[in-house]
Amino acid sequence: MTTVTNTVTTAASTAPRTPIRPSPSPLRPSALLEDVAEAGSIKQNNRVYELKAAGADVITLSLGEAFFDIPMPSLEELGPEAHRYSHSLGVQLLRDKLAKHHEQTSGTPVDPDTEIMVTAGSKAALYMALVALVEPGDEVIVPEPMWVSYHDQVRLCRGVPVPVPWDGTVEDIAARITARTRAVIVNNPHNPTGRRMSAAELVRLHDLADAHGLALIADEVYSEFVPDDAPYPRIGTFDPGKEHTIVCNSMSKNFGISGWRIGYVIADGPLMRQLMKLQQHMLTCAPTILCHYLAENFETVLARTRPQIRRMVALRNRMADTFAARGVACLPGDSTFYLFPSIASSRLTSGEFADELLRRYRVSAVAGLAYGQSCDRFIRVSVGAEPEDRLLRGIHAICDLIDETRIDARAEADQR
Ligand code: PLP
């Protein structure tokens, strides 16, 4: 009996199968995921990688990173623990150094044993914070221009992103608070405008959080990219007990190592225990070898990147002057390595503008629409990935394209 069964099984498993094409497909994505768009900036940069691989010379103003010269001491110095999993909060020495660094730069103490977790980039930290807080249908207020992932991360948590148009103020945030509001996300300093928030704005946000029981999720991934003499109030200063504040930060930009995927999240102990569960189920821990390496070389990397950051911020502000000299206004800001110039006098939408810029001038920038529905009259420019002469060529190309596609230029052409 056993022999017969085995023979049948073997024969059946080697016979060619007639493929069954069930409808709907068993591999269909959830309606929610299907509805989520690709991250606008990353999609644009993938186009650039493909063009460059095909031999094109593209002036890249779309990349969300600043290229630095980083020292690379040997990895061989690291012990065997570098190859293994770490505690799910992260390598202890890195937590100690990050907690101290956060306290030194922001004035807010962080307990390295209970209040900080190293993550695979701040993107994961932000997503974990949202998963930890949001119930289906909860609203999360996200002021525009908003960094490309906030909106869809909220949606992936089955929450409802509530945008505030680009010219809104903290009072416009207040006006959008409802019984379903769970959190507000603030990015300070801000991608894409480069704006720093004032102490008065932050205090008002904390008052709103207290009054309505809201969480404030602060994204501070550009915290090093602030001019030396500029006041930079940090959100945590006004909530030292971490009653309602979660801070997400990252080594990606601040240490110029975006590809390493190391970020961190700071929150009070009870919430951290929830975030840690997510880490355990999603990632186990951030890449251990890089965390050990960074912990060992923390001060060296910081000492090398800080002067480069200073030069990068100065470069950003010179490029803002170049736009201004050509009559193109950028939204106010002096930090980060981004600019958000207005293309309002062009007849093109931001998507058409970015496409034309790439096609005609081989210059890549990100359509403002990626930063929210109210931002279709802007494009995002990064000054982090090109030398100054190429940046200038790119910026003049943007200004030329605005001139060539002026709304009144078409009216003139129509009249001729
Ligand atoms: N937050 C902002 C505002 C960003 O611009 C970025 C990256 O561009 C991130 C978060 C995510 O950075 P990472 O995951 O590399 O830390």
Side-chain angles (χ1 to χ4, degrees):
M1 188 65 189
T2 309
T3 313
V4 171
T5 308
N6 280 348
T7 310
V8 169
T9 307
T10 309
S13 60
T14 54
R17 282 184 77 238
T18 310
I20 302 167
R21 295 243 160 72
S23 180
S25 160
L27 298 183
R28 66 191 176 280
S30 69
L32 173 63
L33 185 57
E34 201 159 32
D35 200 38
V36 163
E38 270 187 73
S41 51
I42 298 177
K43 189 174 172 190
Q44 176 75 350
N45 288 317
N46 284 344
R47 286 170 75 187
V48 173
Y49 295 135
E50 283 157 21
L51 280 169
K52 283 186 175 170
D57 176 22
V58 179
I59 296 182
T60 310
L61 310 183
S62 49
L63 264 186
E65 56 191 331
F67 291 168
F68 292 148
D69 170 27
I70 308 281
M72 294 299 289
S74 171
L75 279 169
E76 282 162 21
E77 316 277 299
L78 301 175
E81 67 281 6
H83 302 290
R84 301 174 187 148
Y85 295 133
S86 72
H87 189 292
S88 41
L89 287 180
V91 168
Q92 183 71 51
L93 181 62
L94 184 57
R95 271 190 276 153
D96 292 346
K97 292 200 173 178
L98 285 171
K100 191 162 143 222
H101 180 69
H102 186 79
E103 179 165 358
Q104 279 169 351
T105 52
S106 75
T108 310
V110 174
D111 180 343
D113 295 330
T114 59
E115 294 185 331
I116 187 164
M117 179 167 76
V118 183
T119 55
S122 64
K123 198 175 267 191
L126 286 157
Y127 189 55
M128 287 180 197
L130 289 167
V131 173
L133 296 175
V134 172
E135 300 284 359
D138 278 354
E139 295 169 4
V140 178
I141 300 180
V142 272
E144 294 182 357
M146 65 171 109
W147 174 59
V148 294
S149 288
Y150 298 147
H151 178 273
D152 289 310
Q153 286 198 350
V154 172
R155 293 195 60 222
L156 286 168
C157 296
R158 301 196 185 268
V160 180
V162 177
V164 180
W166 67 267
D167 53 352
T169 64
V170 181
E171 292 321 312
D172 294 294
I173 293 178
R176 282 164 177 78
I177 295 173
T178 71
R180 291 307 306 260
T181 308
R182 185 70 187 88
V184 181
I185 304 181
V186 287
N187 178 209
N188 183 36
H190 185 258
N191 170 13
T193 62
R195 185 172 175 272
R196 287 169 288 112
M197 296 185 80
S198 70
E201 287 174 307
L202 294 176
V203 168
R204 177 74 175 122
L205 277 178
H206 284 292
D207 289 345
L208 291 171
D210 281 336
H212 300 277
L214 309 180
L216 298 181
I217 303 176
D219 176 346
E220 297 188 342
V221 304
Y222 299 98
S223 52
E224 298 284 330
F225 288 82
V226 173
D228 278 344
D229 47 357
Y232 174 36
R234 302 283 283 266
I235 198 154
T237 317
F238 306 98
D239 180 21
K242 305 178 186 69
E243 303 284 331
H244 51 238
T245 310
I246 303 170
V247 176
C248 298
N249 207 327
S250 175
M251 322 314 289
S252 290
K253 327 285 171 161
N254 285 332
F255 281 57
I257 49 176
S258 46
W260 293 29
R261 312 308 301 129
I262 301 178
Y264 54 100
V265 55
I266 294 169
D268 83 323
L271 180 63
M272 189 55 76
R273 285 197 290 281
Q274 303 301 321
L275 296 172
M276 191 178 74
K277 286 195 285 186
L278 286 168
Q279 174 106 304
Q280 289 172 0
H281 291 302
M282 287 168 66
L283 297 167
T284 303
C285 56
T288 322
I289 190 163
L290 298 175
C291 291
H292 278 284
Y293 182 79
L294 185 58
E296 296 295 338
N297 297 288
F298 196 90
E299 294 77 15
T300 320
V301 178
L302 196 57
R304 281 292 286 272
T305 52
R306 271 199 165 139
Q308 298 182 71
I309 288 178
R310 208 165 288 140
R311 288 198 292 276
M312 186 63 73
V313 172
L315 174 68
R316 178 221 178 268
N317 292 326
R318 284 203 300 283
M319 294 302 117
D321 293 344
T322 304
F323 272 120
R326 291 280 315 255
V328 174
C330 295
L331 285 190
D334 62 6
S335 301
T336 74
F337 48 88
Y338 300 117
L339 297 154
F340 208 48
S342 166
I343 55 163
S345 45
S346 165
R347 63 177 174 272
L348 303 181
T349 65
S350 62
E352 291 166 347
F353 193 93
D355 285 348
E356 275 301 283
L357 194 64
L358 189 57
R359 194 181 62 80
R360 236 199 274 179
Y361 291 93
R362 285 287 186 249
V363 173
S364 162
V366 185
L369 195 61
Y371 298 84
Q373 291 297 323
S374 70
C375 301
D376 203 20
R377 312 308 294 148
F378 298 90
I379 55 164
R380 205 271 315 250
V381 168
S382 158
V383 305
E386 292 283 4
E388 187 158 357
D389 58 326
R390 285 172 62 86
L391 287 177
L392 284 169
R393 271 168 53 200
I395 287 171
H396 284 299
I398 291 169
C399 299
D400 289 346
L401 185 58
I402 294 174
D403 284 343
E404 286 159 25
T405 59
R406 264 185 201 288
I407 295 166
D408 51 359
R410 185 170 62 173
E412 277 168 25
D414 286 347
Q415 277 167 8
R416 265 186 253 127

